[in-house]
Amino acid sequence: MGGKQDSTKSESMATTKTAPDLLNSSIFSFKSLKLKTKQQELLIRVSILGLVYVLAFIARLFSVLRYESMIHEFDPYFNYRTTLFLTEKGFYEFWNWFDSESWYPLGRIIGGTLYPGLMVTAALIYWTLRFLRFFVHIREVCVLTAPFFASNTTLVAYFFGKEIWDTGAGLVAAVLIAICPGYISRSVAGSYDNEAVAIFALLLTFYLFVKAVNTGSLAWALGSAFGYFYMVSAWGGYVFIINLVPLYVLVLLITGRYSMRLYIAYNCMYILGMLLAMQIRFVGFQHVQSGEHMGAMGVFLLMQVFYFLDWVKYQLNDIKLFQTFLRITVTSAILVGGVALGVGTASGYISPWTGRFYSLLDPTYAKDHIPIIASVSEHQPTAWSSFMFDYHILLFLFPAGLYFCFKRLTDATIFIVMYGLTSLYFAGVMVRLILVATPAVCLISAIAVSATVKNLTSLLRTKQKVPQSGSTKGAGSSKASSKVTLDQSQPFQKNGAIALLLGVFYLLSRYAIHCTWVTSEAYSSPSIVLAARGAHGNRIIFDDYREAYYWLRQNTPTDAKIMSWWDYGYQITAMGNRTVIVDNNTWNNTHIATVGRAMSSYEDEAYDIMRSLDVNYVLVVFGGVTGYSSDDINKFLWMVRIGGGVFPVIKEPDYLVNGEFRVDKGASPKMLNCLMYKLCYYRFGELTTEYGKPTGYDRARGVEIGNKDIKLEHLEEAYTTSNWIVRIYRVKPPTNRL
Amino acid sequence: MAARIGIFIVFVAVFLSIPAFSSAQDLQIVNAERRIDLSSHIVKAFLTVKVENIGKDPAAEMLLAFPPIQIKNLAMVQALAVTGKKKKKTYVPLDVKPTEQPDAPNDTGYFRVSFVSPLGPGETITLEVLYILTHSLEPFPVEITQSESQLVYYHDSAVILSPYHVKQQTTFVKTPSTRVESFTSIEPANRAGKEIKYGPYENHAPNSYTPVIIHFENNSPFAVVEELEREIEISHWGSLQITEHYKLTHGGARHKGVFSRVDYQSRRSVSGASSFNGLLAVLPPRVNSVYYRDDIGNISTSHLRTGFRKSELEFEPRYPLFGGWRATFIIGYRVPLEDYLFEASDGRRYLNFTFGCPLVETIVNKLTVKVVLPEGSKDPSAVLPFTVNQDLQVKYSYLDIVGRTVVVLQKDNVVPTHNVPFQVYYTFKPIYMLAEPFMLVSAFFFVFVATLAYVHIDLNIVRK
């Protein structure tokens, strides 16, 4: 609808423009031109969108070109493994899958503990392609799912921008989001994670909801409910929607913008969305039972009260009577709601907020209470530099966009402002939530760019017209005085406009360059294969992870249990096809703490723990030879902390010397003899890693290690990869008692 | 009528009984020399025999006998007849076929060698026989550590097992190194350097057998491909895509205990002597788009050298293979179609490609060659110089509707000597080549038509 309005506007503008020229220009050429403008505009718009669609896809293919078509990072390996299972065994098997290969001996009910949206999406794409006789491998589908959905997101961003501002803003938003590093970081080819489809679902839900609010149409609200369902099935971040939408409704109610459209949109979206979301087993009845979802329900009830009051107001003609009625109803409604919430919470029917939710609202919460959340690097508070890195000029355009939004306050702009502000706060709390804020930032920045460019160009256009008319009416001296005043302001304004426009284009081109650079340099390495530059500028590939995982897969008994720090759990099960004790689904803190305790104990104590867990192999990641810094020694303090959080025998100060973490001769005795240290540095003391340095020189930490004579009693080296990055030890069976 | 059939049967019976009759005891081996090469894990034996017909009837063939432990590991037997004198020797390949003998002692297996022309009474003929044994080196000790080298047993007979009387014979055994732990001595037997000599022995009766065991060091790579599946996909658009799925294992003494990376990388000569890391595959010339990967992705350790006569792919598995360790991987490549696909005189097309495994010095326990013919091909038939199991399958690939016919050739116990050309004949109409482009074109066409229709048709119920 917006597009049509615009085009009619431009048409009318064109007619007014051409009206004075009717005398001295041919009518036909202008008429034919005028007829074409609409089509031209459509053509340009569609081709820009098409190009952006393609651009969004190919900008994410750096990693495929540099490395290969492979799954990246950690979580995507789990997603890939489950997708593989889904395509091989079918949906019901997948839904009922009890995975005994992880969390030994507990196991994990996969169907009930994951968001199936991503896997089902990939499987559907796969099945569709196979139906169309394209016999692709499921891996290729998984690798390209994220870029594909990023492309779709640009389309949604276009329509969203169109809905809240105009087509121009939509186009700019599509371009901005297509290459925004904040989004690319989680949607490059191979980054097969929930976020890949979730951002699309998030933006789609918001767009459809705003559309529903704008039109009051039940159909759009229904679409929004389905969008929400898709989001719930895809990512835990749906909590953001179910809190932001009620908050938005509340703000509209408070600001007196309550309307029938809003009533229809929210009720339909909430009720249907909630019912649909209950179909996802992992979410279940949380919508009516968990504290995080109660706000939405409260707003829903409030909405009914509003509607009821509206009706009563319509029935009662007496204002005074209505005022008293209003007071009584609102008080009793709040009272009933409060009591219900209190009773629900007290009786345990409504669960309190989870730790993750708290840690979102309060950045310091996780550090004090949940070390396992705090230990993940992507859960750290965001540094200013990473805002700059991920948003670049959007960071400056964002406030400008807010200004424009406030200048033209509508239901839609209120929504985008709220979305922008809340998500930006969350982005400040956790690095990974920059992703959620990215669409809002792009949209608001797009409004800024579009509005600015539009204002400037219209300024330029009117200037062009005035001198023209001046020249045609140059003979008339009656308007000389007005011409002088015009001339005084015009050159400055015109030049200024041109300069500003050039500035905008310069900024945008810098943005494009920055995005490409960031994507290519920072976000396109699969992290499972490490690349380094050799002495002669050649590229050296460290493929040790896969070497180790494949070794496990081929050369260990199929029922072997592998103990490693939880980071590598998903990869070991997916690539090594072996049972692990803990993995990246950190649902059982005690189990992880047990592993942490084993790693930080002396060998014989650790041996008892490992025996009790039936561990056959222990896998550690060690960067001392290659200088790879994110290895287990550098993660070790977190193991101590997490282990110590459950087992007080493990005390962090035992591993530190004057509050400092050391591995050289000055390290604490406990550190030098704990299992992790021994496994990482076993026989490392015999090795010369760098010319001119003593043997046992740890290149990751730049020190000579403190314990070079490590003897292992209960474990033996089973395999060490060619660059020593992964070391696998076999747990010996207990010796016979004589 | 009945009489004629009876005569015919008698005639056939007489005709069939002649070879069996004459081969019984009427031949004798005047002189035999056997050279057994144990330097790799594929045992090659060259046997030179001089056969004399001492019977009254001409003999058309002779029997080669193999003990039961060898017959199951026998990958190949070839025989050549030597004619002419020393300077002008010519070799004529002879037909060799496995055969059953009713009175075979102790499950002895036999091969029948047919002469080019029957051997008259009193005549002699010299035969060169090559036979190849796999899995015949038995590691002992069965498990070794990283620092030990690999010792193996080889079981054979000091005298040649033969259904004929052998007047004089000698056997030479070549070991890979001078380290021989022990060998059964049957006088006269002696060892010099890398060679053990058994014989000469005089006058051994038919079916004599004197078992010997040689225990020696063999650190050559025991690369055994347990299963190899080669898929050759013919595309009439100009290329031949070959995909090979390997299941490789180290078939030697099992690795025991620790694998130490320090020892492996610093004391390479003594540590992991029997392990192997590098492999070499000989690929066709003009090969392109070569890839080397496994289930979890690309493996980056490979080099390709292309040449005019052959291409060599040097590659390493992800980890060195110690005894009992496994590695599975996939090698794929593409070659131009015109080098391998020809048109026969009767209008049929035929593929001429190499059977066997491209890896050098490798045993393949089970080889499956799948030739995927283009969609619409008919009447496939395969021609091979040896017997294989044949089967037909259907495979669906990109844009297939009826599927592609797959000729499946399956053979066990394959050695590099089996790398010989084979042919698959089929008929194909070139018009089928246009099916897929046509489908794509029509799909796009329908998309545009649908868009046109959508733009022009008003689907609103309420008129605006």
Side-chain angles (χ1 to χ4, degrees):
Chain A
M1 287 302 281
K4 274 187 183 162
Q5 274 174 2
D6 283 346
S7 52
T8 48
K9 255 187 226 165
S10 64
E11 252 174 77
S12 61
M13 268 174 70
T15 43
T16 51
K17 217 199 294 177
T18 49
D21 304 323
L22 273 173
L23 282 169
N24 53 355
S25 60
S26 71
I27 307 158
F28 289 106
S29 66
F30 265 98
K31 268 207 163 171
S32 55
L33 256 176
K34 196 178 76 186
L35 260 175
K36 276 182 184 167
T37 14
K38 194 182 156 192
Q39 290 169 331
Q40 275 179 354
E41 197 259 341
L42 180 78
L43 182 69
I44 291 172
R45 191 153 30 107
V46 170
S47 48
I48 288 177
L49 271 182
L51 285 176
V52 169
Y53 194 86
V54 175
L55 172 74
F57 193 83
I58 57 174
R60 287 162 169 82
L61 297 183
F62 272 110
S63 61
V64 172
L65 300 179
R66 294 254 170 83
Y67 296 89
E68 55 181 287
S69 162
M70 68 186 296
I71 308 285
H72 294 191
E73 306 276 343
F74 302 101
D75 285 17
Y77 270 97
F78 168 76
N79 299 329
Y80 173 59
R81 176 168 163 248
T82 45
T83 313
L84 207 64
F85 187 91
L86 173 62
T87 52
E88 279 168 6
K89 303 268 174 75
F91 188 73
Y92 287 101
E93 281 285 311
F94 170 70
W95 209 228
N96 297 324
W97 182 15
F98 179 80
D99 178 25
S100 53
E101 282 201 0
S102 56
W103 293 94
Y104 184 85
L106 307 168
R108 176 182 173 190
I109 304 158
I110 297 279
T113 58
L114 93 172
Y115 294 102
L118 178 70
M119 297 89 193
V120 173
T121 307
L124 282 178
I125 296 175
Y126 174 69
W127 286 325
T128 312
L129 286 176
R130 286 194 82 90
F131 177 75
L132 294 174
R133 299 287 180 210
F134 289 99
F135 287 86
V136 289
H137 193 276
I138 181 69
R139 186 189 57 248
E140 316 295 343
V141 175
C142 292
V143 164
L144 296 179
T145 297
F148 173 62
F149 271 86
S151 291
N152 294 339
T153 311
T154 60
L155 289 188
V156 179
Y158 163 72
F159 285 111
F160 204 174
K162 197 170 134 185
E163 192 62 33
I164 55 174
W165 202 258
D166 57 16
T167 32
L171 281 180
V172 178
V175 178
L176 289 183
I177 205 167
I179 54 171
C180 184
Y183 185 27
I184 282 189
S185 68
R186 302 245 152 208
S187 61
V188 290
S191 162
Y192 180 58
D193 210 347
N194 291 333
E195 289 95 323
V197 298
I199 291 305
F200 166 76
L202 178 94
L203 207 58
L204 184 70
T205 314
F206 283 157
Y207 159 65
L208 292 172
F209 184 71
V210 168
K211 186 100 186 168
V213 171
N214 274 352
T215 57
S217 148
L218 210 53
W220 289 114
L222 187 70
S224 165
F226 276 103
Y228 178 66
F229 171 59
Y230 187 49
M231 178 68 187
V232 174
S233 74
W235 193 34
Y238 77 89
V239 178
F240 179 62
I241 299 184
I242 202 66
N243 282 298
L244 177 66
V245 168
L247 194 66
Y248 163 68
V249 172
L250 198 67
V251 166
L252 286 193
L253 291 183
I254 290 168
T255 51
R257 283 173 172 268
Y258 169 78
S259 65
M260 207 55 207
R261 291 175 286 118
L262 184 67
Y263 183 80
I264 291 170
Y266 182 70
N267 283 341
C268 176
M269 189 262 178
Y270 176 68
I271 295 290
L272 279 173
M274 178 174 74
L275 289 176
L276 286 170
M278 284 179 185
Q279 312 310 312
I280 306 296
R281 264 171 75 196
F282 192 29
V283 177
F285 292 112
Q286 279 186 27
H287 277 79
V288 290
Q289 286 190 338
S290 124
E292 286 134 37
H293 302 74
M294 279 302 122
M297 184 177 272
V299 168
F300 170 71
L301 294 175
L302 200 66
M303 206 83 176
Q304 309 314 315
V305 172
F306 249 79
Y307 186 73
F308 178 66
L309 286 174
D310 229 32
W311 178 72
V312 168
K313 193 178 173 186
Y314 175 73
Q315 296 289 324
L316 291 176
N317 288 321
D318 191 356
I319 300 263
K320 255 196 169 173
L321 209 64
F322 175 69
Q323 294 266 320
T324 17
F325 183 75
L326 182 75
R327 222 169 291 139
I328 297 166
T329 331
V330 170
T331 339
S332 54
I334 290 171
L335 264 178
V336 168
V339 167
L341 194 68
V343 168
T345 318
S347 64
Y349 183 76
I350 298 172
S351 62
W353 288 357
T354 56
R356 278 168 194 262
F357 202 69
Y358 273 121
S359 61
L360 259 186
L361 298 177
D362 175 11
T364 56
Y365 182 81
K367 212 162 193 182
D368 300 333
H369 296 90
I370 327 167
I372 203 151
I373 291 183
S375 75
V376 181
S377 63
E378 58 180 25
H379 291 167
Q380 305 302 319
T382 316
W384 270 109
S385 58
S386 57
F387 271 120
M388 195 58 212
F389 199 62
D390 279 356
Y391 289 148
H392 199 236
I393 61 160
L394 303 186
L395 214 54
F396 306 109
L397 292 174
F398 182 71
L402 284 183
Y403 162 74
F404 282 109
C405 285
F406 276 114
K407 232 176 110 183
R408 201 173 97 184
L409 222 48
T410 59
D411 289 355
T413 46
I414 290 178
F415 182 84
I416 195 68
V417 166
M418 288 187 59
Y419 174 26
L421 290 178
T422 48
S423 60
L424 212 58
Y425 172 75
F426 294 133
V429 175
M430 263 191 203
V431 178
R432 65 190 289 215
L433 293 181
I434 279 189
L435 177 71
V436 176
T438 303
V441 171
C442 284
L443 278 164
I444 293 176
S445 307
I447 290 172
V449 171
S450 173
T452 312
V453 171
K454 203 163 196 173
N455 287 346
L456 292 175
T457 44
S458 66
L459 212 64
L460 279 181
R461 271 193 194 169
T462 48
K463 298 297 138 48
Q464 277 167 353
K465 204 176 77 183
V466 174
Q468 227 183 14
S469 61
S471 66
T472 48
K473 292 169 186 173
S477 57
S478 59
K479 286 193 175 178
S481 57
S482 64
K483 216 182 130 190
V484 169
T485 50
L486 270 169
D487 278 337
Q488 276 175 343
S489 63
Q490 270 167 22
F492 173 70
Q493 243 184 358
K494 195 182 163 190
N495 292 342
I498 289 173
L500 277 176
L501 263 183
L502 285 177
V504 169
F505 286 123
Y506 175 74
L507 275 181
L508 288 175
S509 61
R510 290 311 303 177
Y511 174 71
I513 292 167
H514 171 82
C515 291
T516 322
W517 176 78
V518 168
T519 312
S520 134
E521 293 296 315
Y523 291 142
S524 291
S525 56
S527 92
I528 186 110
V529 180
L530 313 165
R533 290 255 165 249
H536 308 289
N538 52 331
R539 203 164 75 132
I540 305 170
I541 290 206
F542 298 126
D543 204 357
D544 286 38
Y545 279 108
R546 287 195 292 183
E547 182 183 337
Y549 297 146
Y550 214 61
W551 183 86
L552 281 175
R553 185 189 184 119
Q554 299 285 327
N555 300 314
T556 56
T558 44
D559 60 345
K561 282 99 194 162
I562 319 287
M563 183 174 91
S564 71
W565 191 233
W566 61 266
D567 296 23
Y568 316 106
Y570 277 166
Q571 292 182 345
I572 294 174
T573 35
M575 284 191 272
N577 199 15
R578 292 292 176 269
T579 309
V580 292
I581 307 295
V582 290
D583 67 24
N584 308 43
N585 178 262
T586 52
W587 64 275
N588 191 326
N589 193 31
T590 317
H591 219 49
I592 291 178
T594 313
V595 173
R597 185 186 174 184
M599 292 297 192
S600 40
S601 305
Y602 292 125
E603 194 190 345
D604 43 353
E605 292 162 15
Y607 185 64
D608 292 338
I609 299 172
M610 291 189 290
R611 289 286 306 159
S612 70
L613 286 172
D614 288 351
V615 173
N616 303 104
Y617 291 89
V618 184
L619 181 146
V620 293
V621 172
F622 172 61
V625 176
T626 47
Y628 172 58
S629 61
S630 53
D631 65 351
D632 277 349
I633 291 285
N634 281 358
K635 287 174 185 169
F636 183 61
L637 272 192
W638 285 110
M639 302 183 201
V640 173
R641 270 173 216 156
I642 292 169
V646 177
F647 304 103
V649 260
I650 305 293
K651 292 182 197 71
E652 192 180 332
D654 291 351
Y655 300 87
L656 302 175
V657 179
N658 302 326
E660 206 187 334
F661 181 65
R662 306 176 69 164
V663 294
D664 56 359
K665 279 207 168 61
S668 69
K670 180 113 192 191
M671 178 70 206
L672 290 177
N673 290 296
C674 69
L675 184 71
M676 180 51 82
Y677 191 93
K678 279 184 147 184
L679 296 188
C680 282
Y681 292 119
Y682 178 65
R683 298 196 71 179
F684 181 65
E686 300 169 31
L687 195 74
T688 312
T689 52
E690 219 169 291
Y691 183 72
K693 296 276 195 243
T695 57
Y697 178 76
D698 185 334
R699 295 178 69 189
R701 282 151 287 272
V703 289
E704 186 185 347
I705 59 164
N707 184 357
K708 286 190 188 176
D709 184 35
I710 295 171
K711 295 268 182 295
L712 288 173
E713 192 185 340
H714 302 292
L715 293 112
E716 62 184 8
E717 188 178 357
Y719 189 72
T720 297
T721 56
S722 45
N723 299 301
W724 292 58
I725 289 179
V726 183
R727 310 196 69 181
I728 301 169
Y729 292 85
R730 192 182 295 111
V731 180
K732 289 188 202 163
T735 45
N736 290 329
R737 287 202 188 90
L738 293 172
Chain B
M1 191 68 183
R4 267 177 74 182
I5 291 172
I7 289 165
F8 180 71
I9 288 170
V10 167
F11 179 74
V12 167
V14 167
F15 185 77
L16 282 178
S17 65
I18 290 168
F21 194 67
S22 66
S23 68
Q25 284 304 325
D26 297 346
L27 293 176
Q28 77 161 352
I29 293 170
V30 183
N31 188 12
E33 186 189 281
R34 187 170 55 156
R35 291 182 178 276
I36 301 170
D37 183 5
L38 300 179
S39 52
S40 87
H41 67 136
I42 301 173
V43 177
K44 299 180 199 77
F46 303 92
L47 181 68
T48 312
V49 285
K50 195 176 178 189
V51 186
E52 186 183 7
N53 187 354
I54 50 170
K56 292 188 181 72
D57 301 312
E61 55 182 42
M62 71 171 285
L63 289 175
L64 295 173
F66 294 95
I69 53 158
Q70 287 185 351
I71 195 82
K72 68 174 190 289
N73 295 325
L74 201 59
M76 172 171 263
V77 184
Q78 283 177 338
L80 301 167
V82 185
T83 53
K85 292 285 176 226
K86 272 182 184 172
K87 290 269 170 73
K88 293 176 182 171
K89 267 187 185 172
T90 51
Y91 296 97
V92 185
L94 298 178
D95 193 28
V96 185
K97 285 225 163 57
T99 178
E100 298 279 319
Q101 288 303 106
D103 53 347
N106 301 330
D107 298 325
T108 306
Y110 292 96
F111 279 79
R112 174 178 292 166
V113 181
S114 310
F115 300 132
V116 181
S117 55
L119 196 63
E123 283 181 349
T124 59
I125 185 168
T126 309
L127 296 181
E128 294 271 1
V129 178
L130 163 70
Y131 62 90
I132 292 170
L133 298 169
T134 58
H135 302 288
S136 296
L137 301 182
E138 176 199 341
F140 189 86
V142 178
E143 288 188 329
I144 54 170
T145 60
Q146 189 179 348
S147 55
E148 288 175 286
S149 68
Q150 179 172 264
L151 300 173
V152 292
Y153 277 146
Y154 175 68
H155 298 265
D156 206 336
S157 165
V159 295
I160 296 161
L161 181 67
S162 174
Y164 311 112
H165 182 83
V166 185
K167 280 176 91 173
Q168 194 189 35
Q169 59 177 319
T170 328
T171 295
F172 299 93
V173 180
K174 192 183 158 210
T175 57
S177 67
T178 52
R179 186 175 166 196
V180 175
E181 294 288 300
S182 68
F183 65 98
T184 316
S185 181
I186 310 282
E187 285 304 323
N190 63 336
R191 183 167 83 90
K194 292 181 177 178
E195 199 171 73
I196 301 167
K197 184 183 176 190
Y198 284 103
Y201 303 115
E202 309 279 340
N203 286 330
H204 269 277
N207 295 327
S208 36
Y209 190 74
T210 36
V212 291
I213 298 176
I214 303 166
H215 192 201
F216 61 100
E217 182 192 60
N218 189 340
N219 281 326
S220 69
F222 275 45
V224 179
V225 180
E226 289 179 334
E227 253 183 89
L228 169 60
E229 190 185 306
R230 302 183 79 196
E231 192 179 272
I232 302 157
E233 194 168 329
I234 301 169
S235 162
H236 277 244
W237 290 96
S239 71
L240 211 60
Q241 172 70 47
I242 296 115
T243 316
E244 296 167 347
H245 295 257
Y246 289 87
K247 278 186 190 169
L248 185 74
T249 186
H250 186 299
R254 277 203 305 281
H255 179 250
K256 174 174 74 177
V258 176
F259 166 76
S260 171
R261 179 60 74 172
V262 179
D263 293 342
Y264 186 74
Q265 67 188 36
S266 57
R267 289 175 279 277
R268 190 65 188 82
S269 53
V270 290
S271 168
S274 70
S275 72
F276 60 92
N277 199 13
L279 291 162
L280 181 70
V282 179
L283 304 181
R286 301 225 283 158
V287 64
N288 60 66
S289 314
V290 182
Y291 64 86
Y292 167 47
R293 56 172 299 136
D294 60 20
D295 294 343
I296 60 170
N298 191 38
I299 310 170
S300 51
T301 45
S302 59
H303 299 279
L304 179 72
R305 282 192 300 269
T306 48
F308 288 110
R309 307 203 52 178
K310 63 180 181 184
S311 304
E312 285 184 335
L313 179 72
E314 246 177 26
F315 63 98
E316 292 174 12
R318 288 195 187 270
Y319 38 81
L321 285 178
F322 280 80
W325 287 14
R326 281 156 210 286
T328 58
F329 53 88
I330 302 165
I331 292 177
Y333 48 94
R334 195 171 284 181
V335 287
L337 188 72
E338 64 263 29
D339 296 2
Y340 300 98
L341 194 79
F342 307 97
E343 199 165 339
S345 49
D346 58 351
R348 289 192 299 168
R349 282 146 215 278
Y350 70 95
L351 171 83
N352 187 25
F353 205 72
T354 319
F355 196 81
C357 169
L359 296 186
V360 295
E361 281 299 300
T362 311
I363 299 169
V364 183
N365 288 354
K366 186 182 173 189
L367 171 70
T368 313
V369 177
K370 291 183 173 176
V371 181
V372 183
L373 302 176
E375 200 178 20
S377 308
K378 287 194 183 70
D379 314 320
S381 66
V383 179
L384 286 107
F386 34 76
T387 52
V388 294
N389 298 329
Q390 293 194 17
D391 195 10
L392 286 181
Q393 285 178 353
V394 177
K395 187 201 169 189
Y396 291 91
S397 182
Y398 283 91
L399 299 174
D400 282 354
I401 296 170
V402 293
R404 306 182 182 199
T405 313
V406 184
V407 180
V408 184
L409 310 169
Q410 200 263 314
K411 180 162 172 53
D412 290 343
N413 218 357
V414 177
V415 287
T417 332
H418 286 111
N419 288 0
V420 290
F422 72 101
Q423 292 80 35
V424 174
Y425 288 85
Y426 63 97
T427 52
F428 180 75
K429 288 202 184 74
I431 193 79
Y432 283 114
M433 279 169 72
L434 297 175
E436 288 170 7
F438 176 73
M439 274 163 61
L440 285 177
V441 167
S442 48
F444 274 101
F445 180 71
F446 279 116
V447 167
F448 286 124
V449 167
T451 319
L452 267 178
Y454 177 75
V455 169
H456 286 275
I457 294 169
D458 189 6
L459 290 170
N460 280 313
I461 302 169
V462 185
R463 197 165 286 278
K464 278 182 190 169

